[in-house]
Amino acid sequence: MPDQTEDLNILHARHGRYPQADSVEDFRRNLAAVQQRIVQACHRVGRDPAGVRLLPVSKTFDEAHLRLAYAAGCRLLGENKVQEAQRKWEAMTDLQDLQWSVIGHLQTNKAKQVARFASEFQALDSLRVAEALDRRLRILDRQMDVFVQVNTSGEASKYGLAPDDVAAFLEAMPAFPTLRVRGLMTLALFSADALRVRPCFVRLRELRDRLRHCAPDGVSLQELSMGMSGDFEVAIEEGSTVVRVGQAIFGARAMPDAYYWPTADARPPIEDTLLSITPSR
Ligand SMILES: *Cc1c(COP(=O)(O)O)cnc(C)c1O
């Protein structure tokens, strides 16, 4: 699909602008710059910036850089691969108030690990995973905040529920009392073009607004997790309450995005794929 390749190129060019953060000072500056952009986006649409949470995404960066981010004030980090997240968590248990948010697709056989170390899971998209997580969490006597991932782009992406399936999915959630549903999460269309990205965010908000009234007891749809380094301002304008930002804080990733959003010719083994947008085959 030439169209998609075009998008990838634009996105890479854009992300290439983000310099690596290599000191606490760098992280402080980048965090402040992102916060500033959040505030400006909020003001454009008359929102209170306190209603937008910044989730720094640390995937692919090493422990030393995560510790710098921590020193600069980060207390919750987003990771999208379970093994990588678990490895980092184990190495950093000395930082007792550091929490982990898993933002990538989860396979049932990894639910056990996630139940142990994550405080939040943002990519819930199947009842099997809900069941596996709930079973583990009960054993550990823990609870977890979860977001239901929705495919708003209509792309043949592997992960995320179709919008029409979300209502029934939420109906089933009370069966899993350890999972505290906080809201919906989405990845926009893979494009740097706001005209194409914005409708994805609008779709998630409208879906939330429709379902809010009929969500079962204990299921909250307060939160909308949408927006990344390249598009979080658009997402905020459309109602995002959680922005997941990696490169604008940590710097451009060495790993090509294709590793996380696989294309036909650069697809990692299925076992390693924890994220969510896969172009149509
Ligand atoms: C990597 C990732 C992000 C952050 O993307 P950046 O371009 O680094 O801001 C957000 N959400 C998910 C699910 C991701 O995997």
Side-chain angles (χ1 to χ4, degrees):
M1 293 177 69
D3 200 16
Q4 211 126 30
T5 312
E6 191 65 33
D7 288 344
L8 278 165
N9 290 339
I10 295 167
L11 211 67
H12 284 148
R14 224 180 139 113
H15 285 166
R17 290 205 312 259
Y18 300 115
Q20 295 300 314
D22 288 317
S23 66
V24 180
E25 239 350 276
D26 289 347
F27 276 100
R28 288 216 180 94
R29 193 195 50 233
N30 290 352
L31 285 163
V34 170
Q35 288 291 1
Q36 182 64 24
R37 286 169 62 189
I38 290 173
V39 167
Q40 284 164 354
C42 285
H43 286 167
R44 276 200 294 280
V45 290
R47 293 187 57 194
D48 179 356
V52 179
R53 165 161 69 103
L54 171 60
L55 171 59
V57 175
S58 51
K59 70 187 187 202
T60 76
F61 291 94
D62 64 16
E63 182 190 334
H65 285 86
L66 271 59
R67 286 184 181 273
L68 292 174
Y70 177 88
C74 298
R75 291 296 178 270
L76 176 65
L77 294 174
E79 289 280 338
N80 80 338
K81 291 177 180 247
V82 173
Q83 264 146 3
E84 182 179 340
Q86 187 178 14
R87 187 165 25 84
K88 290 172 176 175
W89 165 69
E90 275 166 1
M92 299 171 74
T93 47
D94 57 307
L95 306 178
Q96 287 175 12
D97 58 347
L98 179 58
Q99 301 200 305
W100 300 90
S101 175
V102 172
I103 60 175
H105 180 77
L106 180 62
Q107 293 178 288
T108 47
N109 62 5
K110 304 259 173 66
K112 185 178 177 177
Q113 287 96 301
V114 170
R116 275 179 69 209
F117 71 81
S119 66
E120 178 178 272
F121 174 52
Q122 289 212 359
L124 184 62
D125 66 355
S126 86
L127 291 177
R128 285 183 59 220
V129 167
E131 194 187 5
L133 273 176
D134 182 62
R135 192 168 51 233
R136 286 295 163 184
L137 287 163
R138 283 177 199 240
I139 293 168
L140 297 166
D141 197 21
R142 292 191 67 204
Q143 298 200 326
M144 188 178 287
D145 290 340
V146 297
F147 290 64
V148 175
Q149 184 172 356
V150 182
N151 177 357
T152 54
S153 68
E155 287 174 305
S157 91
K158 230 189 270 134
Y159 307 122
L161 293 171
D164 285 348
D165 295 338
V166 178
F169 188 83
L170 295 176
E171 285 298 319
M173 282 301 103
F176 312 113
T178 62
L179 304 180
R180 296 181 297 229
V181 179
R182 297 301 194 199
L184 307 178
M185 179 273 223
T186 200
L187 281 142
L189 192 75
F190 204 14
S191 170
D193 179 355
L195 286 176
R196 301 177 64 199
V197 167
R198 191 181 298 271
C200 300
F201 298 142
V202 171
R203 220 163 279 144
L204 195 71
R205 185 193 65 226
E206 290 180 348
L207 178 68
R208 190 276 306 272
D209 291 348
R210 266 201 313 280
L211 296 181
R212 212 172 202 175
H213 313 287
C214 52
D217 281 353
V219 170
S220 163
L221 294 184
Q222 191 67 31
E223 308 288 338
L224 291 177
S225 176
M226 53 189 199
M228 322 189 331
S229 292
D231 58 20
F232 71 80
E233 283 118 323
V234 179
I236 288 170
E237 288 169 15
E238 297 303 340
S240 173
T241 66
V242 181
V243 291
R244 309 176 307 268
V245 179
Q247 299 184 83
I249 295 170
F250 285 82
R253 276 187 293 277
M255 203 84 85
D257 278 344
Y259 180 69
Y260 285 93
W261 296 285
T263 57
D265 48 334
R267 185 175 294 140
I270 285 292
E271 279 303 303
D272 290 344
T273 306
L274 282 175
L275 198 237
S276 306
I277 281 196
T278 306
S280 51
R281 298 162 193 234

